[in-house]
Amino acid sequence: MHAITVFSAMGGNGFVPADARCRLVAISVLWCFIFLLPVSAFAAQALNQLQTLDDSSGILPVSLGKPTGCFFTNAYGFNSGSYPEELVVAGATYCGGDYQLPFKWSGGHWIPLELPEGNVVGGQATGVDDNPEAPPTITYQLYESGGGNYAYVLSEGALPIKLELLPDMIGSEMTRLTAEGGHVIGDNWNGDWDSGYNYRAVRWSRDGESWSAPEDLAPGRAIAASEDGSIVIGNGEVWEWFRDAQPWIWTSAPGGGELTWLESWAAVYDITHDGSMIVGSRPQPCSNPDKCDFLPAPVYWVIEEGAWVMHDLQALDDVDSIATSVAMVDGSAIIVGYGYTNNGQGGIRRAVVWLPAPDGSYGAPLRLESLGANFESMASPVDINRNGVVLGWSELEPWGATNDVIWSLFERLPFQINGWITDAWYNPVTSGQGFSIHVWEKTQTVFLAWFTYETERPDGGVSAELGEPGH
């Protein structure tokens, strides 16, 4: 049984789906009221997805859907707007053909983004800024028909601008826009499969409506930056399955920048907007040496006595996990990542969140559930913003297509009527009565059967009245 806290608007917060329809057992006289209704007949209800900070039932996601006729979506970044009115997601969709196409999610819909003229054939939107005073600026990673990936920037009302490369470099990858929109970070690369690839982390700076030539920061790839772009983190050239990543921190300084190297063999993935915390992973010995040498363990870094100090986080089910993103939410550093469970379902990725205790320490992670709370479906976060909204993806079914989703840690999200609530639902406190629901999304129709009963067998002359106390 997958016990999920849903339907709190329907009389309590303990409705769970029955394993079988026959779970609804009549104690006395069982009544069944059947309704066939359009989805529009349901008013959107609001649920608080997070019950308490130590709630072990997990947090349910809300699907961002996908464009009509497309197979899946991939989100890469988003702003700190509240869901759904102010949230903007940068991503891509696959709708057939040879390439993904850049899209943004805004106002409840995926919207195609304009491609520049020329030989661009596809790509992804990779980041969006947080400037509330202006329309969003979005970064692209685009493919050209002649081969290679290149970084572009799109501002409202303008054509996408192609960013320059360092001398002797032939492509650019992993571009991200800083929250204030004043810088783009990423990498430039050259080389080939036979001779190997050379990556250099770079930063571009906005100059009015144009962008500067790239600034060479360090070897490897720039992964994330502080809000104003003055602090950039990245991983060095050697990066072999969570080992030898050689993470570094670049800090802007007069006349250039200062480079600080962190622990060898660790890897960094994100930094808070104010630059006070970094999250990532470090290698740990594999419990089964016959299968692997190392597995990742989640970690975070904070400044202590003027130096960056690494601390361990507790892994999901004490198995391998990675801390991928972090944000300051109302003054608290909330960390998200993913891990793999050992509850008989090894190899299935789980999205998780680490919430700080009052003393600033972190305990066991809380699960961010997959769509439909299917224990066998994978889910993983992409980022977390300053409103406590987590962006990620979830499989629709085990080993199936994925949809982009959000988990809201503290906001109240609209309850969605969709196919994932198709099941028999009951409250364990009143076992024997409940609802059988089937949703047809294509025809926007809901079949609902309400099973209920009287607590005492009535006299033979008493008629059934819907809503009467005791029914």
Side-chain angles (χ1 to χ4, degrees):
M1 181 182 303
H2 29 290
I4 303 302
T5 303
V6 298
F7 285 3
S8 62
M10 302 176 66
N13 60 357
F15 279 87
V16 296
D19 284 340
R21 310 294 178 183
C22 60
R23 178 75 183 203
L24 304 172
V25 179
I27 297 177
S28 179
V29 178
L30 179 66
W31 302 95
C32 180
F33 304 94
I34 296 177
F35 307 88
L36 192 64
L37 299 171
V39 169
S40 59
F42 286 83
Q45 304 294 332
L47 300 179
N48 191 335
Q49 301 286 347
L50 182 62
Q51 311 300 313
T52 62
L53 296 186
D54 60 355
D55 177 13
S56 62
S57 65
I59 302 170
L60 291 171
V62 172
S63 173
L64 297 183
K66 56 186 177 183
T68 302
C70 295
F71 299 101
F72 61 83
T73 59
N74 284 327
Y76 293 95
F78 68 155
N79 66 357
S80 284
S82 59
Y83 173 87
E85 293 84 3
E86 300 174 345
L87 194 68
V88 179
V89 177
T93 67
Y94 178 72
C95 311
D98 295 328
Y99 301 97
Q100 295 184 57
L101 295 174
F103 273 68
K104 73 174 181 180
W105 187 95
S106 178
H109 305 282
W110 286 99
I111 303 168
L113 293 172
E114 184 176 4
L115 291 176
E117 297 179 356
N119 61 345
V120 173
V121 293
Q124 304 97 16
T126 58
V128 58
D129 70 355
D130 252 349
N131 184 0
E133 306 299 326
T137 297
I138 295 175
T139 49
Y140 286 160
Q141 178 178 308
L142 299 180
Y143 316 134
E144 296 188 358
S145 57
N149 305 330
Y150 300 91
Y152 285 76
V153 178
L154 173 67
S155 297
E156 189 80 11
L159 293 174
I161 299 174
K162 186 176 182 178
L163 300 180
E164 296 181 30
L165 298 175
L166 292 170
D168 300 324
M169 294 294 175
I170 61 175
S172 183
E173 294 179 357
M174 296 185 68
T175 53
R176 293 290 187 271
L177 189 65
T178 59
E180 288 186 352
H183 301 278
V184 174
I185 62 165
D187 64 59
N188 285 182
W189 62 274
N190 61 19
D192 54 40
W193 181 266
D194 294 326
S195 60
Y197 294 96
N198 173 42
Y199 290 92
R200 297 296 304 182
V202 297
R203 184 184 74 160
W204 295 268
S205 299
R206 186 193 291 268
D207 183 12
E209 298 300 320
S210 62
W211 289 82
S212 70
E215 183 179 3
D216 191 347
L217 305 183
R221 294 178 164 182
I223 303 298
S226 60
E227 181 175 37
D228 61 1
S230 63
I231 305 174
V232 180
I233 63 171
N235 294 301
E237 292 183 87
V238 183
W239 196 357
E240 180 185 352
W241 190 239
F242 309 113
R243 292 187 295 161
D244 299 339
Q246 301 176 0
W248 47 259
I249 303 170
W250 179 92
T251 306
S252 179
E258 297 179 356
L259 193 64
T260 301
W261 292 91
L262 297 176
E263 287 85 354
S264 296
W265 286 33
V268 296
Y269 297 106
D270 198 15
I271 186 171
T272 53
H273 283 169
D274 63 1
S276 62
M277 179 181 285
I278 297 170
V279 297
S281 67
R282 65 167 180 81
Q284 61 181 344
C286 185
S287 59
N288 187 345
D290 293 333
K291 291 186 177 181
C292 58
D293 295 327
F294 295 93
L295 289 173
V299 297
Y300 67 95
W301 290 263
V302 291
I303 297 178
E304 298 177 3
E305 298 181 356
W308 287 95
V309 178
M310 183 175 68
H311 297 270
D312 285 344
L313 291 164
Q314 183 174 334
L316 176 66
D317 295 332
D318 295 321
V319 191
D320 52 310
S321 297
I322 293 177
T324 59
S325 302
V326 60
M328 297 298 295
V329 183
D330 293 331
S332 297
I334 310 296
I335 303 172
V336 297
Y338 63 86
Y340 296 87
T341 183
N342 63 357
N343 293 342
Q345 297 289 343
I348 298 178
R349 183 183 289 194
R350 314 283 184 202
V352 296
V353 56
W354 288 270
L355 297 164
D359 63 358
S361 63
Y362 294 87
L366 179 69
R367 290 197 318 275
L368 303 175
E369 301 287 0
S370 61
L371 284 169
N374 189 328
F375 191 76
E376 296 182 357
S377 293
M378 295 192 188
S380 189
V382 172
D383 202 357
I384 178 175
N385 71 17
R386 286 177 283 189
N387 276 321
V389 178
V390 180
L391 175 69
W393 56 263
S394 170
E395 289 179 330
L396 299 176
E397 58 185 20
W399 304 104
T402 62
N403 255 29
D404 289 321
V405 298
I406 63 166
W407 295 271
S408 182
L409 304 185
F410 306 107
E411 290 185 311
R412 294 174 66 84
L413 297 179
F415 174 67
Q416 293 186 333
I417 301 294
N418 56 40
W420 291 105
I421 66 172
T422 296
D423 214 319
W425 298 87
Y426 77 104
N427 188 332
V429 177
T430 56
S431 181
Q433 57 182 322
F435 299 89
S436 177
I437 301 173
H438 195 107
V439 178
W440 292 274
E441 294 189 39
K442 290 185 178 180
T443 59
Q444 291 288 285
T445 306
V446 175
F447 170 86
L448 186 149
W450 178 17
F451 297 85
T452 186
Y453 58 87
E454 293 181 330
T455 56
E456 295 182 5
R457 185 175 294 277
D459 296 335
V462 176
S463 61
E465 296 182 28
L466 181 63
E468 184 74 5
H471 287 65

